[in-house]
Amino acid sequence: MFGYSMIQTVRNHASKLDRPLRDELINLYRPFKYTPCFLHRLAEKRLKRKKKLSVIVQFHPEAYESGCHQIEEVTKKYRKNKLYHYHSRISCCSADMTPDSLDEILSNCKHIKKVYKNKEVHALLDVAVESANAKQVIRNNTTLTGQGTKIAIVDTGVYPHQDLSGRITDFVDFVNNRSEPYDDNGHGTHCAGDAAGNGSASSGAYAGPAPEANIAGVKVLNNVGSGSLDTIIQGVEWCIQYNENNPDTPIDIMSMSLGTEPQDYGEEDRDPLVQIVEEAWRNGITVCVAAGNSGPDPQTISSPGLSDRVITVGALDDRDTADTRGDDDVASFSSRGPTIYGEVKPDILAPGVDIISLRSPNSYIDKLQKSSRVGEDYFTMSGTSMATPICAGVVSLMKQHNPDLTPDEIKELLKNGVDLWEDRDNNIYGAGYINAENTIPQ
């Protein structure tokens, strides 16, 4: 096997190829063991010319433009190649490349820092607001509702549900390029309601913490809840650019109930998903990310939730008792730390079991789980996916009360305002159980 040219390429440039891409390149040769030896050279030549690999190419920041220019020149030379998107904020571009073109850029382009497989990213699957102590939070004689704030739901889209009427102020679709709000999966709509539904179809019974916050729907996942590194990066970049273009009505919070299995890059800041969410954080957007649903094992925090900067949210099971804390515990499925880099995570827990929120009629999940429907307008789901937008809704209340709070200040206030468990592992429970009333200063 080591005689094959692409195997040599993988060996010679291993430090510039992430592990999933190295594995994919090596696995291309598996069928060769069933191919007569005299055909190997011809088969490899055909493979290198025909096979398409979806990649993210990252350049050294100071050579980003030069690197992109070289990739452009190479992609023009090969029929199956296609350059898709430029991500200047993290010095990347996305492309389909054949193995022979990948070999060429690795050999000749000195500006390349890393080439990543454009792998899949997935959506992470009534008393919740009371349990978070986020109902009727009154400051300065005003009941906080998230009014004047905007939450971006970076997910499968948002269905124009009655409970969000007039508040889906923006919608962008990186999957099907549609301009009007929709959700063909249902996950994003549920998350939007977890954060900001006003309960109008249930006489207020199923309202989120921030029932007057505005919503920006950012569709980066398809009808079955899958996307790619490229679409996620596009979605986050759009939020950052949106704020540069709309300084008077910015996105305050990004809620991301999605993730991918963590990949050890040596340092978390080399992970492209971590890089882009931390860029949003540096640009003033408070980023709430799901811890993942791979518990109870340790080191199961998904990416980008393993970022040490963003707010990583685990799921709490309140046993359907909003008024008592004695029986509350972490949900069995909630991912645990430490991260693969040894950092303590999650940061905080929020309700995430049997959460009733908005239904997107005839969406993938709606048809798949008919038994989860609650009447005509609502749907019940569990997961750190639900806990994350509930946390985002609480952040909305904080921003309404004090618009000048920075993401770092918000994270600190959230962690200092929790209900605590004694003698509990922070890598399971984070700082504790979110409590909006304690978090927002009088």
Side-chain angles (χ1 to χ4, degrees), residues 54-65:
S54 183
V55 297
I56 303 284
V57 184
Q58 186 170 48
F59 308 99
H60 295 288
E62 66 278 6
Y64 171 67
E65 290 187 8

Side-chain angles (χ1 to χ4, degrees), residues 160-274:
H161 193 283
Q162 172 182 332
D163 286 16
L164 300 173
S165 181
R167 293 186 293 120
I168 306 175
T169 57
D170 307 273
F171 185 80
V172 62
D173 178 6
F174 292 103
V175 178
N176 299 311
N177 297 311
R178 291 168 58 177
S179 58
E180 295 300 316
Y182 76 103
D183 183 2
D184 50 7
N185 174 269
H187 185 270
T189 300
H190 197 283
C191 291
D194 292 330
N198 65 14
S200 67
S202 60
S203 300
Y206 304 127
E212 293 189 353
N214 288 327
I215 293 292
V218 184
K219 184 172 174 63
V220 296
L221 304 176
N222 65 16
N223 65 318
V224 294
S226 293
S228 66
L229 292 181
D230 190 28
T231 56
I232 310 307
I233 292 169
Q234 285 182 75
V236 178
E237 283 188 319
W238 181 86
C239 293
I240 300 170
Q241 188 65 49
Y242 179 94
N243 283 5
E244 292 177 359
N245 296 340
N246 301 275
D248 295 331
T249 56
I251 291 167
D252 300 287
I253 306 120
M254 239 173 24
S255 181
M256 302 180 70
S257 294
L258 50 80
T260 187
E261 185 177 344
Q263 176 72 43
D264 191 349
Y265 294 109
E267 298 175 14
E268 67 184 61
D269 290 344
R270 294 178 181 172
D271 183 327
L273 279 183
V274 170

Side-chain angles (χ1 to χ4, degrees), residues 127-139 209 318 322-323 325 350-351 390 394 397 417-419 433-440:
V127 297
V129 174
E130 293 177 46
S131 295
N133 218 356
K135 196 167 189 175
Q136 293 291 311
V137 178
I138 299 172
R139 295 293 184 270
D318 61 17
D323 299 327
R325 291 282 191 262
I390 288 173
V394 171
L397 305 186
V418 295
D419 288 335
Y433 184 1
I434 195 168
N435 186 323
E437 186 66 49
N438 291 349
T439 297
I440 303 170

Side-chain angles (χ1 to χ4, degrees), residues 32 120 155 223 314 385 403:
F32 279 37
E120 279 195 330
D155 211 288
N223 65 318
S385 282

Side-chain angles (χ1 to χ4, degrees), residues 15 35 39 145 170 227 267 275 289 291 328 338 345 352 373:
S15 64
T35 305
L39 292 175
T145 60
D170 307 273
E267 298 175 14
Q275 291 174 35
V289 179
D328 296 349
K345 284 283 179 174
R373 294 174 184 172

